[in-house]
Amino acid sequence: MSDLHERLRRLIAERAEPLGVPGVAVGVFHEGERFLTCHGVTSTANPLPVDETTLFAIGSVTKTVTATAVMRLVERGEIDLAAPVRRYIPELGLKDPEAAEHVTVLHLLNHTAGWEGDRVVDTGRDDGALAAYVATMAEFEQVMPLGAVVSYNNAALSLAGRVVEKVMGTTYEAAVKDLVLEPLGLTHSFFDVADIVTRRFVVGHGSKGQAGGATEVVGQWLMERCAAPAGGLFCGVGDLLDYGRFHLGDGDGVLEPETLRRMRRPSTAGTSTDGDVGISWFLRDAGGVRVAEHTGGTTVGVALLTLVPEHGLVLAVLANSIGAGAGELLEEVRALVLEGHLGAEPEPLVPANLAEEQLAELTGVYDRGEGHLLVMSADGDRVTVERRFSDELIARYRELMPDLEVPVQEPITLVPLAGDAFQQAGRPGKRPHGRFVRLDGKIVAVEWSGRVAPKIS
């Protein structure tokens, strides 16, 4: 472990600055040993050293915390994963009446609800924010049939948070503190801005769309309160690592060991690009070793929590940058631990060498929603993607970053792989970056960055 610690320390010291990451914290637990290594500063404008208690946004890793709270209520007999959500929220209205009637709690936790999942609606910061957000979901489009396809869904997790509120009779944040944070002794984990700003915390950084631009502080910091169950938790790397250790342990009297194992078993008939989906955890094989994992990303930075049950290993990574370099740093840290330390080398990706008519199936226009289209055309044995953004979408991002410069969108090249998967040419990573989705043998959508975009022409 001391050798791994030194290699990780050296990696982040050498790679963080070139990749535009001002501050990073890494924690590893393996074979009964635990170590943390931190590098850099909380903010380039007001720099303080990053340490193990510095608060980072863990983004969507929060989804596993929400699911953990739900599973505590399942063990108490207060929630049934197979029950319709309307058992707990009778007033639930969705644009698709069939989905509203039949959606279950499990659909919310394994990303198979099928409606558009990234619509942002700021419903305020009072205790009714989640209830108000759920009321707006009556206007959300049903993109895929309920339960048919895995498509990453923030809105579904907000709805799961509202289920927790209704069952517990309190706010989501108070319920999670009572059900998860306090029982696990996570004393450096907070949702409330008043708790965060009285401690050492990071801000996000990015180039704001400028080619070759310097890493600057991103002004947008606070997430909408209605999104808290999907991505609102801040914590230190020590807490995040200990939370991961809990999920690999015996439950600490908080959850039964079998419940924790159940969360790490496939819970869907379909798969995602990267493997199966459990109860909030994304599951994959790495060199024959099963990995349960969740990543997170907000305007404050990126996060990674990886569990390797077979080896008793937990990896936690937090960084305060939202640029592509931050994702690359997470990939390098993950590779050093899984491949360099455990020897869990992924199988090499093999291009599919599709025939002309097979490539033609993939071409067309795919709608990512909110004014973002992907126009795909065949180019030899590959697929070229042109991205088109509406003025409304650009305006929304300029609200977050007023000085955002929208760079010229160069075409993206996709390399088709077996099983309708693909890799993005020139992008780091040894796993597929997306896949084309079939229903009844026909290409109906593309899954990219976890989200499914339906084919519209």
Side-chain angles (χ1 to χ4, degrees):
M1 281 285 279
S2 60
D3 177 59
L4 175 62
H5 191 175
E6 176 57 26
R7 285 189 290 163
L8 279 170
R9 187 201 62 75
R10 190 165 59 246
L11 171 67
I12 62 175
E14 293 174 356
R15 295 290 288 154
E17 185 175 351
L19 291 173
V21 181
V24 59
V26 178
V28 175
F29 176 82
H30 187 212
E31 296 178 337
E33 293 186 46
R34 173 186 189 269
F35 71 77
L36 306 169
T37 186
C38 303
H39 174 81
V41 296
T42 56
S43 164
T44 55
N46 183 26
L48 294 172
V50 169
D51 62 27
E52 68 179 80
T53 63
T54 298
L55 302 178
F56 286 78
I58 69 169
S60 288
V61 181
T62 306
K63 292 177 172 64
T64 70
V65 179
T66 300
T68 302
V70 169
M71 296 309 289
R72 287 215 67 195
L73 296 170
V74 168
E75 285 195 349
R76 291 182 183 181
E78 297 178 55
I79 289 180
D80 180 351
L81 293 183
V85 173
R86 277 184 171 170
R87 176 182 295 182
Y88 311 102
I89 308 177
E91 67 274 19
L92 175 66
L94 298 172
K95 198 161 191 176
D96 183 330
E98 287 290 311
E101 182 178 355
H102 297 293
V103 63
T104 67
V105 177
L106 183 58
H107 286 131
L108 307 182
L109 300 178
N110 65 16
H111 300 283
T112 58
W115 55 72
E116 57 180 314
D118 289 327
R119 189 185 290 198
V120 178
V121 182
D122 189 350
T123 53
R125 303 210 63 80
D126 63 27
D127 289 351
L130 257 184
Y133 180 77
V134 168
T136 72
M137 292 176 64
E139 300 303 316
F140 290 16
E141 296 291 339
Q142 191 72 25
V143 178
M144 287 285 126
L146 177 67
V149 174
V150 173
S151 181
Y152 199 80
N153 199 312
N154 286 303
L157 265 294
S158 286
L159 182 54
R162 179 60 180 153
V163 170
V164 171
E165 284 193 335
K166 294 277 276 191
V167 171
M168 290 288 287
T170 185
T171 65
Y172 163 80
E173 296 88 351
V176 168
K177 184 177 180 180
D178 179 60
L179 293 168
V180 182
L181 303 182
E182 287 189 343
L184 297 185
L186 303 178
T187 58
H188 293 90
S189 300
F190 306 99
F191 288 99
D192 195 323
V193 64
D195 290 317
I196 297 165
V197 299
T198 55
R199 294 165 172 84
R200 186 170 300 193
F201 64 94
V202 303
V203 296
H205 300 78
S207 64
K208 301 182 181 179
Q210 302 172 50
T215 299
E216 302 175 40
V217 170
V218 175
Q220 178 69 16
W221 182 76
L222 196 59
M223 181 177 285
E224 294 82 2
R225 186 173 178 185
C226 63
L233 189 64
F234 278 68
C235 71
V237 69
D239 266 19
L240 185 58
L241 184 64
D242 290 342
Y243 170 70
R245 289 175 61 188
F246 159 74
H247 269 277
L248 282 193
D250 60 8
D252 295 340
V254 177
L255 281 177
E256 294 294 327
E258 173 56 24
T259 298
L260 296 173
R261 289 191 291 269
R262 181 184 180 188
M263 293 181 73
R264 301 196 303 269
R265 287 198 291 262
S267 67
T268 68
T271 62
S272 69
T273 294
D274 214 16
D276 298 305
V277 184
I279 298 175
S280 79
W281 293 106
F282 287 84
L283 313 171
R284 63 185 175 87
D285 290 318
V289 175
R290 195 64 160 169
V291 173
E293 191 168 69
H294 215 298
T295 57
T298 71
T299 56
V300 184
V302 295
L304 169 69
L305 182 60
T306 301
L307 315 178
V308 189
E310 182 180 326
H311 290 275
L313 183 140
V314 181
L315 167 66
V317 189
L318 296 166
N320 62 348
S321 171
I322 62 173
E328 190 171 340
L329 182 61
L330 259 62
E331 286 283 354
E332 292 183 13
V333 170
R334 178 200 274 133
L336 176 56
V337 174
L338 297 187
E339 300 171 32
H341 181 60
L342 295 182
E345 290 275 356
E347 295 292 327
L349 299 176
V350 180
N353 297 319
L354 300 181
E356 184 176 341
E357 61 271 19
Q358 292 173 305
L359 275 172
E361 274 193 287
L362 311 181
T363 63
V365 180
Y366 297 81
D367 186 359
R368 296 203 68 174
E370 300 185 320
H372 183 184
L373 298 179
L374 305 172
V375 182
M376 302 199 186
S377 57
D379 183 10
D381 60 352
R382 300 185 174 193
V383 175
T384 296
V385 184
E386 176 192 350
R387 292 170 292 174
R388 297 178 183 174
F389 302 105
S390 69
D391 291 340
E392 291 77 10
L393 182 62
I394 293 170
R396 198 183 97 200
Y397 277 94
R398 283 210 170 109
E399 288 180 7
L400 303 178
M401 293 177 279
D403 49 352
L404 173 71
E405 294 183 19
V406 181
V408 175
Q409 298 299 312
E410 298 293 337
I412 296 173
T413 298
L414 305 183
V415 180
L417 306 170
D420 293 322
F422 62 80
Q423 190 169 44
Q424 183 177 324
R427 178 178 164 186
K430 299 180 181 180
R431 307 194 308 276
H433 294 134
R435 64 174 179 136
F436 292 92
V437 177
R438 290 183 187 270
L439 289 178
D440 299 324
K442 181 181 178 181
I443 298 289
V444 297
V446 63
E447 180 198 340
W448 202 348
S449 300
R451 278 76 170 172
V452 167
K455 188 175 185 179
I456 59 175
S457 68

